[in-house]
Amino acid sequence: MVNKTAVLEIRDLRTSYFTEGGEVKAVDGISLNVPKGKTLGIVGESGSGKSIMALSILRLIFNPGRIVAGELLYNGADLLKKSEKQMRSIRGNNISMIFQEPMTSLNPVYTVGEQIAEVYQIHENMNKKQAMSKAVDMLRLVGIPSPEKRVHQYPFELSGGMRQRIMIAIALACNPDVLIADEPTTALDVTIQAQILELIKDLQQKLHMSVIIITHDLGVVAETCDDVAVMYCGKVVEYADVRTLFTAPKHPYTVGLLNSLPRHDVDKEELEAIKGSVPSPFELPEGCRFAPRCPHAAKICFEQLPELNKLEDRSQVRCWIYTDKWGQQPEVNRTP
């Protein structure tokens, strides 16, 4: 059954990489909805599968990677059943992405104007003059001063913040329904980060877009998102609206992430770190993947993987603590 409120619906998505060392389940059974005009945050440390999920949505997974199962419903139509020609039309036109590194994502031998204009030439069949005029308009929209001059400059002539704005201009050129922003503020100073986030929020309201923000920065999530999915080792371990996540986190991993942040309202001499390390993708635990690092882990946690259960406050959590099976489970003594 199609979710009519969601412009993009991800159902049991599984993306794996098949290497000499074995199968790496980068995205392992993720189901998420992206409502029209809302912002969904995807949070998790490096290697949790955030970016692979985003690339899977656009079907930009290449050998040795492969989308092995699931559905990606855009306005009810499964993207996994589209031809490559149809996907080329959808990418940038209906679903756009801002990639992590603007310096490596922009082509150094073409002016920024030419790179924006190319979007209009491909998707809207404009001639070069018309497309360059639209490129100037887009530079003005994303707040770049003197756009008539900047349109003729190359990426290396612009600052990091300006290059990020160019990436946003390219992504928004065709007024997409969905914008995926993968670490949109990485490597930018705090002032520029705030400007970029405010720009994305303003453009979202103007263009009525749905936005997926992928980040490891919980501050970015608090500023921009309506709902948040926390990922760990290829799975969503908690899903909640942003207020609930910050005021009443459920999963021990989410609690650990929040406790590791500096806070002005709590007197702490040292920040609390999450003990242990992320398991190897080739040797994932049989039960809960966070169990080896969890301070509350019990015997069942090492033996069985919990489902993503819906709670009374409408949040969802993948943890045995919130199930009937928890009961009097004995805790396990472990060496960090």
Side-chain angles (χ1 to χ4, degrees):
M1 184 175 180
V2 176
N3 187 334
K4 294 182 180 180
T5 64
V7 65
L8 181 67
E9 187 175 0
I10 303 169
R11 293 183 180 177
D12 197 28
L13 177 65
R14 299 173 187 272
T15 301
S16 292
Y17 283 80
F18 298 89
T19 70
E20 292 181 0
E23 180 183 358
V24 175
K25 296 179 179 180
V27 175
D28 191 11
I30 286 180
S31 296
L32 293 170
N33 294 327
V34 186
K36 181 69 176 176
K38 299 292 185 179
T39 300
L40 172 65
I42 309 293
V43 179
E45 55 199 299
S46 298
S48 61
K50 307 184 303 296
S51 296
I52 299 301
M53 185 203 70
L55 293 171
S56 297
I57 293 171
L58 290 171
R59 278 184 39 195
L60 293 174
I61 302 295
F62 304 107
N63 191 54
R66 190 168 76 243
I67 299 173
V68 296
E71 294 178 295
L72 294 169
L73 302 179
Y74 167 65
N75 288 333
D78 191 354
L79 297 178
L80 298 182
K81 295 180 180 178
K82 300 286 186 183
S83 67
E84 180 55 31
K85 182 178 180 180
Q86 289 172 316
M87 283 304 301
R88 282 197 297 269
S89 176
I90 290 170
R91 294 183 198 118
N93 194 22
N94 305 108
I95 305 175
S96 284
M97 185 166 176
I98 304 171
F99 294 91
Q100 281 193 36
E101 296 293 339
M103 195 61 212
T104 56
S105 299
L106 292 168
N107 193 320
V109 300
Y110 290 95
T111 66
V112 295
E114 289 172 324
Q115 294 182 63
I116 300 171
E118 184 182 24
V119 179
Y120 292 108
Q121 291 174 293
I122 292 173
H123 291 293
E124 299 190 8
N125 295 318
M126 292 185 181
N127 60 40
K128 187 173 182 180
K129 184 177 180 180
Q130 291 171 322
M132 287 296 285
S133 176
K134 290 287 287 184
V136 172
D137 292 340
M138 283 305 302
L139 291 182
R140 187 176 292 112
L141 180 67
V142 298
I144 290 183
S146 306
E148 295 84 358
K149 174 186 174 183
R150 301 292 185 185
V151 79
H152 299 295
Q153 292 186 314
Y154 292 87
F156 73 88
E157 297 179 277
L158 304 175
S159 68
M162 280 197 177
R163 288 197 294 267
Q164 193 65 285
R165 288 172 184 263
I166 298 297
M167 291 298 300
I168 294 172
I170 293 171
L172 299 185
C174 292
N175 295 345
D177 291 328
V178 180
L179 173 67
I180 303 171
D182 190 359
E183 302 281 8
T185 58
T186 297
L188 300 178
D189 65 55
V190 176
T191 304
I192 303 300
Q193 282 186 25
Q195 291 175 5
I196 294 297
L197 293 175
E198 192 61 36
L199 174 62
I200 292 174
K201 286 169 65 177
D202 289 345
L203 293 176
Q204 177 185 23
Q205 293 175 358
K206 287 180 183 177
L207 304 175
H208 307 292
M209 292 183 301
S210 299
V211 178
I212 299 174
I213 289 186
I214 297 168
T215 183
H216 62 272
D217 188 336
L218 289 167
V220 170
V221 170
E223 286 289 322
T224 59
C225 298
D226 298 296
D227 299 304
V228 190
V230 181
M231 288 185 64
Y232 187 79
C233 290
K235 286 190 173 291
V236 172
V237 295
E238 185 165 355
Y239 180 83
D241 66 83
V242 69
R243 182 178 180 84
T244 299
L245 189 93
F246 279 90
T247 58
K250 307 293 192 302
H251 197 280
Y253 177 60
T254 310
V255 173
L257 289 177
L258 291 172
N259 286 341
S260 68
L261 295 176
R263 293 175 57 179
H264 66 83
D265 58 335
V266 177
D267 186 17
K268 286 184 180 180
E269 291 186 4
E270 294 184 7
L271 296 177
E272 296 179 29
I274 300 175
K275 295 181 180 180
S277 57
V278 179
S280 164
F282 298 107
E283 299 176 357
L284 292 174
E286 186 174 337
C288 173
R289 292 174 183 178
F290 188 63
R293 307 175 70 187
C294 181
H296 310 293
K299 188 170 182 288
I300 192 173
C301 303
F302 290 89
E303 296 174 345
Q304 299 177 45
L305 179 68
E307 296 294 324
L308 194 63
N309 296 303
K310 185 174 287 188
L311 305 183
E312 290 183 0
D313 62 2
R314 297 185 179 181
S315 61
Q316 299 175 47
V317 61
R318 190 184 298 277
C319 183
W320 286 116
I321 292 174
Y322 300 92
T323 70
D324 295 335
K325 287 189 176 183
W326 185 246
Q328 298 299 317
Q329 289 289 329
E331 291 196 358
V332 177
N333 292 323
R334 289 162 292 111
T335 302

